Amino acid sequence: MLETSAVQVIARGTDVAFVIDESAPFDVVAAELREHLSKKSGLWSKGDITVNVGQRMLARDELAQVKSIIETHSGLTVTRFWCSPESLGSGDFQIEAKAAPMPEPVHTVAKPEVKQAEEPIAHNQIVLPASSSEEAPLTSASSITAIESIIEGLKARHNKNGVRNRNITEALFIKSTFRSGETLEHAGDVVVLADVNPGAEIRADGDIVVLGSLKGWVHAGASGDTKAVIIALELPSARFQIAKYPGTAPASARRKSNTSASGPKIAYVRSRSIHVAPYAGRFARYNKGVPYDG
Amino acid sequence: MTGKTIVITSGKGGVGKTTATANIGTALAMRGNRVVVVDTDIGLRNLDVIMGLENRIVYDLVNVIEGVCKLNQAMISDKHDYELYLIPAAQTRDKNSIEPEQLREMCVELEKEFDYVLIDCPAGIEQGFKNATSAAQEAIIVTTPEVSAIRDADRIIGLLESSGLHNPKLIINRIAPEMVKRGDMMDQKDVESLLAVEVIGLVPADEQTVVAANRGIPVVHNAKSSAGGAFMRIAARVDGEDIPLMDLEPKNGLLSRFKGMVGMSGRAYSHA
């Protein structure tokens, strides 16, 4: 173990880990990392390395800089970046953002003998394409755009599959009537403990639950989650949306919405259109839904 | 003496804000309070007409705020022997002539002299609404049992709550008891459940209201009229009396009773 404040090298069997102080600013970390690698340059054999950035938010040039430091001062090639699901799941993987004020420790795990891409790619993993030349240009635009495009692809994959970490953003509770002209956007689930009146709008990335009468316009799964649902004790609203699918009450349902067919309702996406069924518990199978396709 | 400033508002025009202001103001004065009513509908003044004080206007609200005259110079005394005064709106200016803070300051002055300062709010949710509501500590919302008026009232309640005026009271104006009984008009419960605010009064549709307005004598002076009685009860509730809401029953003629028997209980309106 080396005596340094910011960067420590720990050997674990064949693996070597750089543990970087969480409170250290990026500049210090970069300088010390460079120093370590150049001092012990004979120690590093050729191989691939995975960089885990933890919860630290790195700007894209900082990411490229880390890659460049490791690759210039050792024979290692950075093939993957790991980031914690917390920074990805909510869709705010801020590759553009500056380092967070109190970043988590950055672990750099070198596995010199491990070959690349043996394991399946995890959802929070960024695999860099193998660079054509062995000596990759370090801060080149191509490597930056490569990282960016991978992140974009990753985000798209998230949204398409509706994968999200429901625990990240807490549900928002609204405890008074949500009135005409009031709007709300929330990154998680929304629970309204009152009515949602006509003319009100709610957009939520998660589910929307209304313990009252839902008469306004709501959009569940606004960031593309087709598994999001809308649940309301009464659902007279004829128009709402889940993910990209708009729902419009069929003319017959609209006519009788004032009289019969009352009771809790759930709206969900089934075969690319919105269906509404009487609500009977979260995990029940809803087969008798009425398609809300106008 | 520290009085209360109450704004009377609705969002939608033509639901009876001005009529309600004139009648509640008059009724509160008849109960022995010192009352001033302020018309903030600058450019479209008509509270003075309803109260029959049009001919006495010399100075108006904008004159007071611009310092052209003193506050008491713009206050017009009511024709009757009550402690009731009117500060009329300017007809030649617009809503942007005054700022919310200026009206607030004026109402603070008035509160020292009067028990109740009633502000007649203009329709809409723009500058005039902001002026009128910023000065008030309490709000009374006037609506009619129509979907459009209720939608606007809903919006107004939301705006009032976001500007810190909580628990507004609701007046449902122009209820036609026969239509309610037939199921052709929303009743009190329908409106109340939709708007989720406390109802402070139910005012029946009454020809006498229109007659009184045309004569410039608020309908509360007419003891026989049903609307006048309703406004008297509202004033009593504003004044702190606990009077239960009266069920508005249609006049029990033979024909209406017959209609009630055959009438369908189906609802001919939609809440949405």
Side-chain angles (χ1 to χ4, degrees), chain B residues 200-244:
Chain B
I200 199 177
L202 308 170
V203 183
D206 185 355
E207 285 180 5
Q208 290 304 313
T209 314
V210 183
V211 174
N214 290 344
R215 289 190 183 149
I217 305 162
V219 75
V220 282
H221 287 291
N222 182 349
K224 287 178 198 162
S225 96
S226 55
F231 278 118
M232 280 304 280
R233 289 193 294 276
I234 292 169
R237 289 181 197 117
V238 170
D239 221 4
E241 269 187 52
D242 188 19
I243 301 175

Side-chain angles (χ1 to χ4, degrees), chain A residues 176-182 195 197-199 215 236 258, chain B residues 151 154-155 157-158 161 193-197 269-270 272:
Chain A
S176 61
T177 306
F178 207 70
R179 297 185 185 279
S180 175
E182 294 182 319
D195 292 356
N197 279 356
K215 302 175 194 119
N258 283 321
Chain B
R151 173 73 58 92
D154 189 37
R155 178 94 169 98
I157 296 165
E161 279 174 355
S193 73
L194 198 91
L195 294 179
V197 292
Y269 55 83
S270 159

Side-chain angles (χ1 to χ4, degrees), chain A residues 88 93 121-123 125-127 145-161:
Chain A
L88 258 179
F93 185 71
I121 298 157
H123 75 281
Q125 193 175 357
I126 304 164
V127 180
T145 46
I147 293 167
E148 265 186 312
S149 68
I150 287 159
I151 289 159
E152 285 307 313
L154 201 62
K155 277 186 187 170
R157 199 167 70 205
H158 266 248
N159 291 342
K160 197 181 74 193
N161 296 344

Side-chain angles (χ1 to χ4, degrees), chain B residues 104-125:
Chain B
R104 175 67 263 186
E105 277 172 33
M106 193 190 85
C107 289
V108 168
E109 285 301 308
L110 291 170
E111 281 165 21
K112 291 174 188 164
E113 294 286 318
F114 292 91
D115 299 310
Y116 291 100
V117 182
L118 301 188
I119 298 177
D120 183 20
C121 178
I125 53 172

